[in-house]
């Protein structure tokens, strides 16, 4: 049986203006603590103008850019960095949560971007990335 993909409508009517909006992308600047990244933000936009309506996962692009800036500026690891380090250590999400004493479901939430790891957890992940052999020390405590 074939899986049906959800079709995204290519137009919608603006609830504010009644104007027809068209599916597309526009440049959007994400700024955090004085540093900026420009992303291509999907959404429904008028023919003339940048004010759009964003639905579903449209904002995931700007969320990812913000996480990238936070990682660069404050050292808070992004979901992709957390996943990469955990896999490098050959740990399941559940094992990693238990080993770092943050709860069995924490890494699922970190890797989906639902929550950010605490400062100490972020620091420990940095250490484990540089020194993966320390996992064995954590296992023995």
């Amino acid at each position: 049986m074939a899986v049906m993909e959800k079709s995204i409508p290519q137009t919608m009517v603006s609830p504010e203006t009644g104007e027809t909006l068209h599916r597309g992308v526009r440049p959007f600047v994400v700024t955090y603590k004085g540093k900026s990244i420009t992303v291509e933000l999907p959404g429904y936009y008028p023919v003339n103008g940048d004010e759009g309506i964003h639905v579903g996962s449209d904002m995931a692009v700007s969320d990812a850019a913000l996480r990238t800036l936070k990682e660069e500026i404050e050292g808070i690891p992004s979901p992709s960095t957390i996943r990469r380090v955990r896999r490098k250590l050959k740990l399941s999400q559940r094992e990693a949560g238990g080993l770092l004493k943050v709860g069995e479901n924490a890494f699922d939430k970190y890797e989906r971007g639902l929550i950010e790891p605490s400062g100490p957890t972020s620091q420990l992940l940095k250490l484990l990335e540089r020194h993966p052999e320390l996992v064995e020390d954590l296992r023995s405590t």
Side-chain angles (χ1 to χ4, degrees):
M1 187 164 107
V3 176
M4 293 183 61
E5 292 184 29
K6 289 184 181 178
S7 170
I8 298 174
Q10 295 303 300
T11 62
M12 74 177 294
V13 176
S14 169
E16 291 181 15
T17 66
E19 180 180 8
T20 298
L21 305 176
H22 300 272
R23 190 84 183 142
V25 296
R26 299 284 167 88
F28 181 78
V29 178
V30 178
T31 302
Y32 185 74
K33 294 193 174 182
K35 186 151 185 164
S36 299
I37 295 177
T38 301
V39 297
E40 293 292 316
L41 185 63
Y44 291 93
Y45 297 97
V47 173
N48 296 312
D50 289 327
E51 293 296 319
I53 294 178
H54 307 97
V55 298
S57 62
D58 289 349
M59 297 305 292
V61 173
S62 62
D63 292 345
L66 179 60
R67 287 188 194 100
T68 297
L69 289 170
K70 283 183 161 186
E71 183 169 36
E72 191 175 308
I73 294 167
E74 295 184 2
I76 299 169
S78 67
S80 60
T81 296
I82 294 167
R83 182 178 302 108
R84 181 179 45 74
V85 171
R86 178 184 59 77
R87 287 178 175 166
K88 177 180 179 178
L89 300 172
K90 296 180 173 66
L91 298 171
S92 70
Q93 289 178 336
R94 201 171 278 283
E95 289 171 321
L99 200 62
L100 274 64
K101 309 290 190 224
V102 292
E104 291 184 341
N105 297 318
F107 272 76
D108 173 60
K109 293 176 183 175
Y110 297 157
E111 292 178 20
R112 289 192 294 143
L114 299 177
I115 60 172
E116 293 176 347
S118 67
T121 300
S122 294
Q123 293 293 84
L124 185 53
L125 284 169
K126 282 182 196 175
L127 285 173
L128 289 171
E129 181 175 25
R130 288 187 202 122
H131 303 282
E133 69 279 5
L134 294 176
V135 167
E136 293 311 315
D137 290 343
L138 289 175
R139 282 192 170 115
S140 64
T141 58

